[in-house]
């Protein structure tokens, strides 16, 4: 329904405190390949440097320049409370190279077989395969640190380590809305005073020709990079901004480029292939709501930057929405500027940086080359170097529009900072801490041996692990399994918690077979879990967010890139010296058989091809197929991704940006790629995951997905929802110390930040669902950190500690969702969950100091007198990323139980004596 701005303006606006942009950096997009980064300057060991993706280096440099622009290090940052959020879209170069490297042995084996079938002698066929591997291996590289170096979340973690920043660190993706999502999350954290500064970075590179091919198939670009509507291939760019609350910036004497008054995101859910929304009404509604939240009348906006895709139909809808919003204004009153939505992850940040600089310089941004004059009043283009005059009775003010092909609209309001103006003039309503309880009103999960949440609890209650040998179609043991030794090309274990990828969509969804076939396995798995989550529920209205923890480089995209690379090897194969004895006809026959055996280049790309490669596509599928007006985003924080996604969702609910949220995580970790890369660093157990055992020697990978439906607690009670548990706090930190080794101080910091949000003490927590990876160092550090917090105070009984990983394996991005699911189900069952595979408790853990116990059998969870049952869930990720969540049962259950007990006691007391 279209909003009526004129009717709404009669109600007072309730804006949050403005945010100050105090640092900006933009790398030259035409010179990204020429940027030289001295890794030693950032304390990066040479071995790790070999495994780093190029984007990591570029963002390190952008962070350095942005912090220097803000006066760092001479002007200190609040390092303990400075977050780093990065926005990225599509897989990175090192991810692609690793995928090809792992696939190469299989391709070489098929080459050997095809050569023999084409008439080559067995020894020459084998030599040809060896020659191909020898030629490609040096080009693809390879390091024990590849699994860490390739990850998107390593980028913010590396930046935090380089500059000793100890706040939150995470990476996000939401197609072209990525920058806006990152900025909106930063605003939530700053206004909630969960952070004092946020470094937001965004970057986009042409990492693979596959993306251009997929865009062309979708119709947003064509062969050669152009189409009739003027769109082109992805635009490159890397940039950064440093944000603080305006009051903090003024207090610190910072130079302020501009202030951010609001960042509003809205979503238009439409089932089917992802495509830009053409809704004029929803665009206008989002813009009007954003200006209202900023306390700004549309008549005071002087400049509008359109960071859309420039696709003709979308651009027309955007222009029409703006024309309606600014109807009645004088001709030329609004200067229209163009951003570049084709920069995907970087699109919004590039426009925000450009406009912020222009506000400070009081000159309009120069128009884009070739930009024509917009049709119709009140719009016009700026002249080159045109002075930006004062606003009509208000500060100079601008907005930035954006939209994504997944259906999200973005609207951000910027204003000049007038020196001497009261910094807290708008610090009403949303400013200050608001640790609003958040209810979990729905849950679903699928993990090894557990097709749904009920089966998940049955597995836990049984005390029997579901870890075992992964299927042969997952791990080709002849090629990739070599027990006993570290290797860059083999896994020393074949154990895992495998979950089959669904082969058809849930019954309640109508998904075309071609589109379903293009989906990534993680997307299919999440769709199935969503069917459980939303079963019987069709009442989710209002604004929402869907935040799913996952890797930002999905398998589908890596596989598609690998296919392109291997397709391009035919000339290399034909020129191999070992095949010189084959005739031209023999070589032709060899290549034909090789194509058949590897199924390369079999089909034309479809419009759905890109959908299966977007990490945020997992969340967008849930929003669009179930008709939710919820902004979709992917969150990567290594093995803490699920709880980072929960943090984003809780922040949106507490800020009022969302009325409901879906949060969780999904990852398929039982892949050849992950098993080989994790083995190379010695991370995997040689047997099976056994957290806290004296013989624990690493983790076992597992597949899985857990999703949770969230509302503010009061809203859930009002709506009559079943409350499975209440999220009381989410604490987060980065230890800024090591990308690999866990750190006691960093984990303690996350725990302390969680308890700072609640009114109860650690000694009243009954159960800790630990990260519990099963590594000797990791387990010992985690228990030592827990002892720092949980050992104090009058504890009624021993703290119970457990880990879901002994049952289902380490599910990477989904690990936190497994832990939270186990905890919520335990609360519901009134049962303390057991551990399995625990034979001999590691005596070095020092549990008696807490005191704590690790049980191997399920036990009753008694409800303590005078309070609800309480639990904590920890999740720690590579890069020093730490999350700690405090959960309790529904207080209404506790109250009703206490009332029932009190009545029983009164009745007993009134009887005969």
């Amino acid at each position: 329904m279209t909003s009526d701005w004129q009717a709404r303006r009669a109600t007072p606006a309730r804006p949050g405190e403005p945010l100050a942009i105090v640092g900006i950096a933009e790398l030259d997009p035409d010179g990204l390949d020429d940027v030289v980064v001295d890794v030693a300057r950032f304390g990066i060991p040479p071995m790790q440097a070999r495994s780093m993706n190029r984007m990591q280096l570029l963002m390190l440099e952008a962070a350095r320049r942005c912090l220097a622009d803000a006066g760092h290090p001479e002007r200190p940052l609040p390092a303990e409370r400075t977050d780093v959020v990065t926005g990225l879209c599509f897989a990175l170069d090192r991810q692609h190279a690793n995928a090809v490297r792992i696939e190469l042995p299989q391709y070489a084996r098929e080459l050997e077989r095809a050569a023999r079938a084409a008439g080559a002698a067995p020894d020459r066929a084998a030599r040809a395969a060896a020659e191909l591997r020898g030629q490609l291996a040096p080009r693809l590289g390879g390091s024990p640190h590849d699994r860490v170096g390739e990850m998107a979340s390593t980028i913010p973690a590396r930046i935090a380590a380089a500059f000793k920043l100890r706040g939150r660190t995470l990476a996000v993706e939401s197609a072209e809305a990525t920058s806006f999502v990152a900025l909106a999350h930063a605003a939530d954290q700053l206004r909630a005073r969960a952070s004092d500064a946020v470094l937001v970075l965004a970057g986009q590179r042409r990492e693979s020709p596959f993306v251009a091919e997929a865009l062309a198939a979708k119709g947003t670009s064509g062969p050669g990079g152009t189409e009739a509507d003027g769109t082109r291939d992805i635009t490159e760019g890397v940039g950064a901004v440093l944000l603080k609350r305006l009051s903090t910036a003024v207090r610190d004497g910072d130079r302020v480029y501009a202030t951010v008054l609001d960042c509003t995101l809205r979503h238009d859910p439409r089932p089917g292939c992802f495509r830009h929304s053409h809704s004029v009404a929803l665009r206008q509604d989002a813009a009007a709501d954003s200006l209202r939240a900023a306390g700004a009348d549309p008549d005071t906006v002087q400049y509008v930057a359109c960071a859309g895709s420039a696709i003709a139909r979308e651009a027309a809808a955007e222009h029409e929405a703006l024309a309606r919003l600014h109807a009645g204004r004088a001709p030329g009153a609004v200067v229209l500027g163009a951003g570049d939505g084709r920069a995907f992850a970087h699109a919004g940040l590039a426009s925000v940086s450009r406009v912020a600089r222009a506000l400070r310089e009081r000159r309009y941004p120069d128009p884009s080359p070739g930009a024509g004059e917009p049709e119709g009043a009140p719009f016009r283009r700026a002249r080159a170097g045109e002075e930006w005059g004062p606003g009509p009775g208000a500060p100079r003010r601008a907005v930035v529009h954006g939209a994504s092909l997944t259906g999200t609209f973005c609207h951000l309001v910027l204003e000049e900072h007038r020196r001497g103006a009261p910094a807290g003039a708008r610090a009403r309503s949303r400013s200050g801490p608001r640790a609003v309880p958040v209810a979990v009103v729905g849950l679903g999960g699928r993990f090894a041996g557990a097709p749904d949440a009920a089966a998940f609890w049955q597995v836990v209650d049984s005390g029997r692990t579901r870890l075992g040998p992964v299927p042969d179609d997952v791990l080709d043991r002849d090629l990739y399994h070599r027990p006993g030794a570290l290797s860059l090309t083999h896994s020393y274990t074949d154990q895992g918690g495998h979950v089959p990828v669904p082969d058809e969509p849930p019954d309640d969804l109508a998904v075309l077979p071609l589109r379903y076939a293009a989906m990534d396995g993680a997307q299919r798995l999440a769709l199935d879990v969503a069917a459980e989550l939303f079963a019987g529920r069709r009442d989710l209205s209002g604004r929402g967010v869907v935040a799913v923890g996952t890797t930002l480089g999905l398998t589908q995209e890596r596989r598609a890139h690998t296919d392109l690379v291997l397709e391009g090897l035919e000339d290399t194969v034909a020129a191999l010296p070992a095949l010189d004895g084959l005739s031209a006809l023999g070589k032709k026959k060899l290549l034909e058989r090789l194509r058949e055996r590897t199924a390369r280049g079999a089909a034309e790309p479809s419009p759905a091809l890109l959908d299966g490669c977007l990490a945020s596509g997992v969340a967008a599928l849930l929003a669009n197929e179930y008709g939710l007006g919820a902004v979709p985003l992917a969150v990567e924080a290594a093995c803490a991704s699920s709880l980072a996604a929960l943090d984003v969702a809780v922040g949106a609910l507490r800020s009022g940006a969302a009325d409901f949220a879906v949060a969780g995580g999904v990852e398929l970790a039982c892949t050849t790629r992950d098993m080989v890369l994790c083995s190379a660093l010695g991370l995997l157990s040689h047997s099976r995951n056994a957290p806290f055992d004296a013989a624990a020697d690493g983790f076992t990978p597992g597949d899985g997905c857990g999703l949770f439906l969230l509302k503010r607690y009061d809203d859930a009670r009002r709506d009559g929802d079943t409350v499975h548990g209440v999220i009381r706090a989410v604490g987060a930190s980065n230890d800024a110390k090591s990308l690999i080794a866990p750190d006691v101080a960093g984990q303690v910091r996350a725990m302390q930040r969680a308890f700072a949000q609640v009114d109860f003490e650690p000694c009243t927590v009954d159960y800790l669902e630990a990260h519990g990876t099963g590594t000797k160092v990791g387990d010992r550090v985690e228990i030592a950190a827990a002892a720092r917090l949980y050992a104090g105070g009058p504890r009624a009984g021993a703290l119970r500690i457990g880990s879901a990983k002994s049952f289902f394996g380490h599910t990477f991005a989904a690990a936190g969702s497994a832990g939270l699911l186990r905890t919520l189900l335990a609360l519901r069952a009134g049962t303390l969950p057991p551990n399995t595979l625990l034979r001999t408790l590691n005596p070095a853990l020092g549990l008696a100091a807490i005191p704590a116990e690790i049980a191997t059998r399920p036990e009753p969870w008694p409800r303590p007198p005078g309070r609800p049952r309480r639990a904590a869930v920890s999740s720690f990720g590579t890069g020093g990323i730490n999350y700690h969540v405090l959960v309790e049962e529904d207080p209404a259950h506790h109250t009703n139980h206490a009332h029932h007990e009190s009545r029983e006691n009164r009745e007993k007391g009134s009887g005969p004596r």
Side-chain angles (χ1 to χ4, degrees):
M1 186 167 62
T2 305
S3 294
D4 184 350
W5 169 261
Q6 298 297 329
R8 288 186 174 201
R9 69 166 63 182
T11 306
R14 293 165 59 90
E17 179 175 359
L19 307 179
I21 300 176
V22 300
I24 296 177
E26 285 288 331
L27 303 186
D28 178 8
D30 297 323
L32 293 183
D33 291 338
D34 300 324
V35 175
V36 177
V37 180
D38 180 6
V39 294
R41 177 182 204 166
F42 299 106
I44 300 171
M47 178 64 77
Q48 291 185 19
R50 287 170 49 196
S51 70
M52 291 172 62
N53 55 70
R54 177 65 178 168
M55 183 60 77
Q56 191 171 148
L57 294 171
L58 294 173
M59 284 198 167
L60 270 169
E61 180 61 17
R64 185 191 68 79
R65 295 186 188 184
C66 182
L67 294 177
D69 186 59
H72 184 80
E74 290 77 13
R75 182 187 296 276
L77 274 172
E80 290 291 320
R81 293 168 53 82
T82 296
D83 298 349
V84 183
V85 182
T86 57
L88 301 140
C89 192
F90 305 118
L92 302 167
D93 56 1
R94 193 63 238 162
Q95 293 173 327
H96 288 314
N98 291 336
V100 175
R101 181 168 66 82
I102 301 302
E103 183 84 3
L104 183 58
Q106 185 173 343
Y107 187 80
R109 181 176 64 183
E110 297 304 331
L111 166 60
E112 181 178 351
R113 291 172 175 173
R116 294 176 66 173
D123 62 328
R124 285 190 168 272
R127 196 191 316 159
E131 287 174 352
L132 181 66
R133 289 195 299 267
Q135 285 190 30
L136 294 184
R139 199 188 316 170
L140 297 170
S143 160
H145 290 270
D146 275 343
R147 182 64 177 90
V148 175
E150 71 166 23
M151 293 161 54
S153 56
T154 301
I155 299 175
R158 181 80 73 182
I159 292 168
F163 299 100
K164 305 302 179 189
L165 308 177
R166 298 183 176 87
R168 288 167 171 78
T169 51
L170 65 155
V172 299
E173 187 261 290
S174 189
E176 300 101 316
T178 297
S179 291
F180 296 96
V181 163
L183 290 164
H185 176 61
D188 284 345
Q189 297 303 321
L190 287 166
R191 286 175 172 163
R193 299 187 181 272
S195 309
D196 288 334
V198 183
L199 179 61
V200 178
L201 302 100
Q204 193 67 61
R205 293 182 71 226
R206 298 184 190 96
E207 306 281 14
S208 170
F210 163 75
V211 173
E213 182 179 296
L215 283 168
K218 191 170 281 292
T220 58
S221 67
T226 62
E227 202 175 37
D229 61 20
T231 61
R232 295 191 299 273
D233 191 8
I234 279 179
T235 303
E236 296 190 321
V238 177
V241 296
L242 181 63
L243 301 173
K244 290 183 177 181
R245 290 181 295 277
L246 180 57
S247 57
T248 305
V250 170
R251 180 201 67 196
D252 295 346
D254 292 317
R255 172 198 53 202
V256 177
Y257 281 98
T259 59
V260 178
L261 303 186
D262 179 73
C263 185
T264 288
L265 307 173
R266 294 288 183 269
H267 191 71
D268 182 12
R270 293 151 305 134
C273 287
F274 297 151
R275 61 203 183 280
H276 291 92
S277 171
H278 304 135
S279 171
V280 173
L282 286 175
R283 287 175 186 273
Q284 182 185 359
D285 192 55
D289 283 350
S290 178
L291 288 166
R292 182 171 180 73
D297 193 294
D299 293 348
T300 65
V301 174
Q302 298 168 279
Y303 183 82
V304 176
C306 299
S309 67
I311 298 171
R313 191 173 172 190
E314 187 208 348
E318 184 174 44
H319 190 275
E320 176 63 22
L322 289 170
R324 290 184 187 181
L325 189 67
H326 295 283
R329 296 185 66 181
V334 181
V335 175
L336 202 62
D340 193 350
R342 294 159 299 186
F344 271 79
H346 185 232
L349 194 71
S351 289
V352 168
S353 297
R354 192 170 181 233
V355 174
R357 288 185 188 275
L359 281 166
R360 179 167 175 80
E361 295 168 0
R362 297 186 176 180
R363 292 188 182 278
Y364 286 115
D366 286 343
S368 303
E373 196 66 24
E375 296 180 6
F379 306 111
R380 67 178 179 87
R381 300 288 183 200
R383 300 182 301 276
E386 180 179 351
E387 183 179 340
W388 191 330
R396 293 169 177 82
R397 194 168 283 159
V399 299
V400 179
H401 281 269
S404 80
L405 60 82
T406 52
T408 297
F409 300 130
C410 317
H411 191 275
L412 188 142
V413 185
L414 288 160
E415 183 178 278
E416 71 172 331
H417 173 58
R418 292 177 172 176
R419 296 169 186 82
R426 290 188 178 84
R428 302 190 299 269
S429 176
R430 295 185 189 175
S431 60
R434 295 186 62 192
V436 176
V438 171
V440 180
V441 299
L443 49 78
R446 179 173 291 189
F447 294 84
D452 54 29
F456 181 97
W457 181 248
Q458 289 171 2
V459 170
V460 170
D461 198 45
S462 75
R464 295 192 298 273
T465 186
R466 291 302 185 265
L467 301 179
V470 299
D472 290 336
D473 61 351
V474 172
L475 181 70
D476 187 325
R477 286 166 171 77
D478 289 340
L479 279 182
Y480 297 109
H481 184 215
R482 184 181 295 165
L486 298 184
S487 164
L488 294 181
T489 56
H490 293 75
S491 172
Y492 51 74
T493 182
D494 65 350
Q495 300 289 300
H498 174 63
V499 174
V501 174
D503 54 14
E504 58 184 25
D507 292 338
D508 60 341
L509 296 182
V511 180
L512 293 175
L514 183 66
R515 182 163 186 254
Y516 195 73
M519 288 182 188
D520 187 83
Q523 295 174 336
R524 295 189 191 184
L525 186 60
L527 267 186
D528 262 36
V529 175
E532 178 187 4
L533 183 72
F534 297 130
R537 182 185 287 275
R538 289 290 185 271
D539 60 346
L540 290 175
S541 58
R543 301 164 300 169
V545 62
V546 181
V548 178
T550 187
T551 173
L552 296 194
L554 294 185
T555 295
Q556 192 80 338
E557 184 190 350
R558 301 191 206 201
R559 183 178 295 135
H561 173 83
T562 299
D563 287 351
L564 279 181
V565 172
L566 297 180
E567 279 177 32
L569 290 179
E570 291 193 356
D571 288 345
T572 302
V573 168
L576 291 172
L579 299 178
D580 285 347
L582 282 181
S583 65
L585 184 60
K587 289 185 178 182
K588 180 180 179 182
K589 183 180 178 182
L590 181 155
L591 294 175
E592 288 173 351
R593 285 183 175 269
L594 187 57
R595 287 188 213 112
E596 291 172 3
R597 298 185 74 94
T598 57
R600 308 290 174 187
E604 288 296 315
S606 75
L609 186 63
L610 191 75
D611 299 6
C613 301
L614 283 170
S616 62
V618 177
L621 279 167
L622 272 57
N624 293 352
E625 298 301 327
Y626 285 95
L628 308 178
V631 176
L633 70 150
V635 179
E636 186 184 311
C639 304
S641 296
S642 290
L643 296 193
L646 182 76
D647 190 30
V648 171
V650 167
L653 287 167
R654 287 177 170 173
S655 73
D659 301 310
F660 69 90
V662 175
V666 60
E667 187 153 0
L668 299 171
C670 292
T671 65
T672 299
R673 181 192 68 244
D674 282 325
M675 294 181 76
V676 169
L677 294 181
C678 289
S679 285
L681 199 53
L683 299 175
L684 301 184
S685 171
H686 289 262
S687 53
R688 290 184 298 180
N689 229 123
F692 314 118
D693 196 276
D697 63 347
F699 62 79
T700 302
D703 303 327
C705 175
L707 296 173
F708 308 93
L709 180 59
L710 312 173
K711 289 184 179 180
R712 288 179 290 272
Y713 179 73
D714 288 348
D715 293 348
R717 291 295 306 276
R718 176 201 66 201
D719 297 341
D721 291 307
T722 298
V723 177
H724 300 281
V726 181
I727 308 296
R728 293 295 312 275
V730 184
S733 74
N734 189 286
D735 58 50
K737 186 175 181 181
S738 168
L739 289 186
I740 301 172
D743 178 67
V744 171
Q747 294 179 15
V748 168
R749 195 176 293 113
M751 296 175 189
Q752 289 172 332
R753 289 174 182 172
F755 279 102
Q757 302 169 38
V758 297
D759 55 358
F760 56 84
E761 297 298 321
C763 61
T764 66
V765 171
D766 312 307
Y767 174 71
L768 169 61
E769 175 67 25
H771 190 54
T773 56
T775 64
K776 280 188 171 60
V777 174
D779 288 353
R780 190 171 65 248
V781 167
E782 182 168 10
I783 297 302
R788 294 264 190 100
L789 258 289
Y790 288 97
R795 178 170 293 283
L799 175 69
R800 300 303 176 92
I801 298 177
S803 170
K805 293 178 179 61
S806 58
F807 290 91
F808 307 105
H810 190 349
T811 52
F812 295 7
S817 70
L820 181 58
L821 181 61
R822 187 167 117 118
T823 302
L824 291 168
L825 294 174
L827 282 169
R828 188 166 73 183
T831 301
L832 290 162
N835 291 273
T836 189
L837 299 179
L838 182 60
R839 302 292 178 260
T840 304
L841 188 65
N842 185 347
L845 296 178
L847 295 173
I850 299 178
E853 294 178 1
I854 298 174
T856 55
R857 291 187 300 273
E859 298 177 4
W861 189 342
R863 182 177 283 110
R867 66 167 177 84
R869 299 180 179 98
R870 290 190 182 121
V873 182
S874 284
S875 211
F876 309 127
T878 302
I881 301 172
N882 308 301
Y883 278 85
H884 195 67
V885 176
L886 299 178
V887 187
E888 64 184 19
E889 66 179 336
D890 183 357
H893 293 170
H894 159 66
T895 302
N896 292 339
H897 178 80
H899 176 73
H900 178 71
E901 282 190 338
S902 175
R903 187 177 66 184
E904 282 188 342
N905 291 336
R906 286 197 305 271
E907 289 173 351
K908 289 177 182 177
S910 62
R913 298 187 178 220

